[in-house]
Amino acid sequence: MAAQVISGKALAKKIREGIKQDVERIKQERGFTPGLAVILVGDDPASHTYVNNKEKSCIEVGMNSFVDRMPAETTMEELLAKVDEYNAREDVHGLLVQFPLPKHLDEKKVLARIAPEKDVDGLTVENAGALLSGLPGLVSCTPAGVIELIKESGEEISGKHAVVVGRSNLVGKPVSMLLLNENATVTMCHSRTQNLAEVCRTADILVAAIGKPEFITGDFIKEGAIVIDVGTSRVNGKLKGDVLFDEAAEKAAYITPVPGGVGPMTITMLLKNTLIAAERA
Ligand code: NAP
């Protein structure tokens, strides 16, 4: 079987067009513009690129973007004061602090300070708990994007066996919870899982979020599976996923590429969360 490629790029474009219309509707009907604030501390080049992309994407859908670039020597007190400032601002509906932070700053403390209703990254304990408890909250962006990509295949999730490789708070755990909420039977795998390839071969839906380039070979794939590759690793300057694409595509029915799969969905879900936060404001 040669898999059908699910393009995150195309899906992201479609969803962003809808978001743009919703932003316009909020402006017309409620008289305000949804706004996203991003706090960036330090000089990490990758973080600067990510934040620039977020800013550009916000503007493209008609949202307000507020980017605060703070120096690397910013103190915890200064950063928390900045978070408080954006928490209090009525024109800011979504707030995120770009990670990683410089080593002297405590990421957990910073996250805990973000107002949960503005936590558009869905990373606060309150939003993680809401997901676990089936309460309305804000779902973290990459996991939400994974679900949208699976749905784009047109296949039913309910009743399927989903295997998620990786159990991070950022990706693996929330993806597993979302799949469970969609009534999949979910198996979570990690670095101590035995016979990983064998477990993966039982997956109707396989989500790889490990961070090991091309680790998931064709031998891990069940015929007709849906394969979602979250992994991104730089190898000789090229972006590689966790899945060995050509081999997996021989067996899978649907597969996402890297780049152009999960990546473009992540910022799109950030815009969607900002819209949700603005609607609830
Ligand atoms: P992480 O925090 O490093 O977690 C990696 C997970 O993979 C851990 O749970 C680890 O198991 C598991 N793992 C590592 N080696 C394994 C192995 N040989 N067999 C089975 N499991 C193994 O990473 P993350 O933040 O979840 O990110 C995962 C990947 O997704 C990375 O490549 C990251 O760059 C990418 N990512 C992409 C996007 C995007 O927008 N495209 C967003 C977020 C992340 P243990 O828990 O046992 O250590």
Side-chain angles (χ1 to χ4, degrees):
M1 179 178 295
Q4 203 171 311
V5 176
I6 308 171
S7 166
K9 215 171 155 185
L11 180 57
K13 188 164 179 262
K14 192 165 74 182
I15 295 173
R16 284 183 201 205
E17 273 157 18
I19 292 173
K20 199 172 175 178
Q21 286 172 13
D22 285 335
V23 168
E24 195 48 45
R25 180 180 47 75
I26 290 178
K27 284 183 188 171
Q28 300 283 330
E29 289 177 5
R30 297 188 54 193
F32 69 85
T33 303
L36 172 68
V38 179
I39 302 173
L40 171 60
V41 186
D43 316 309
D44 178 53
S47 293
H48 275 265
T49 306
Y50 296 144
V51 169
N52 290 343
N53 286 340
K54 286 170 188 173
E55 185 171 34
K56 190 170 150 254
S57 304
C58 255
I59 293 163
E60 273 168 11
V61 297
M63 289 181 183
N64 285 333
S65 167
F66 310 97
V67 178
D68 222 304
R69 294 177 177 84
M70 301 179 82
E73 53 278 6
T74 299
T75 65
M76 199 61 195
E77 289 67 34
E78 286 166 337
L79 179 54
L80 292 179
K82 190 60 84 178
V83 170
D84 289 345
E85 183 188 318
Y86 284 116
N87 276 341
R89 269 174 63 166
E90 280 189 8
D91 57 343
V92 170
H93 307 94
L95 168 61
L96 72 88
V97 178
Q98 184 69 41
F99 287 170
L101 287 173
K103 290 221 171 357
H104 67 282
L105 298 169
D106 183 339
E107 292 185 346
K108 283 205 180 90
K109 268 195 190 152
V110 173
L111 264 185
R113 195 70 161 242
I114 295 174
E117 67 276 12
K118 294 193 179 187
D119 165 34
V120 282
D121 260 344
L123 295 177
T124 58
V125 168
E126 288 82 355
N127 280 315
L131 176 61
L132 198 68
S133 314
L135 296 170
L138 291 164
V139 176
S140 58
C141 304
T142 302
V146 167
I147 300 299
E148 293 291 331
L149 286 162
I150 297 169
K151 288 186 173 168
E152 187 64 5
S153 73
E155 297 284 327
E156 187 75 42
I157 297 176
S158 178
K160 290 221 164 60
H161 181 210
V163 173
V164 180
V165 193
R167 57 172 166 179
S168 69
N169 290 339
L170 185 65
V171 189
K173 281 183 202 162
V175 164
S176 300
M177 280 314 304
L178 288 169
L179 285 164
L180 190 63
N181 291 347
E182 296 284 342
N183 298 313
T185 303
V186 183
T187 302
M188 294 173 75
C189 299
H190 45 79
S191 64
R192 314 280 176 90
T193 299
Q194 298 195 352
N195 305 320
L196 182 64
E198 204 175 294
V199 178
C200 290
R201 272 197 301 276
T202 66
D204 304 309
I205 299 169
L206 179 64
V207 180
I210 333 173
K212 293 222 151 56
E214 300 182 331
F215 183 85
I216 306 285
T217 59
D219 190 40
F220 287 61
I221 312 293
K222 178 179 175 176
E223 286 283 343
I226 301 170
V227 178
I228 308 292
D229 189 354
V230 184
T232 48
S233 309
R234 287 252 164 227
V235 180
N236 299 327
K238 271 185 87 176
L239 209 57
K240 295 275 181 196
D242 286 340
V243 176
L244 186 52
F245 185 88
D246 289 347
E247 281 190 21
E250 284 292 314
K251 289 191 175 168
Y254 301 92
I255 189 166
T256 58
V258 176
V262 174
M265 292 299 292
T266 298
I267 293 187
T268 304
M269 293 296 111
L270 177 70
L271 299 173
K272 195 167 173 192
N273 275 347
T274 306
L275 185 74
I276 292 169
E279 299 248 38
R280 288 177 186 162

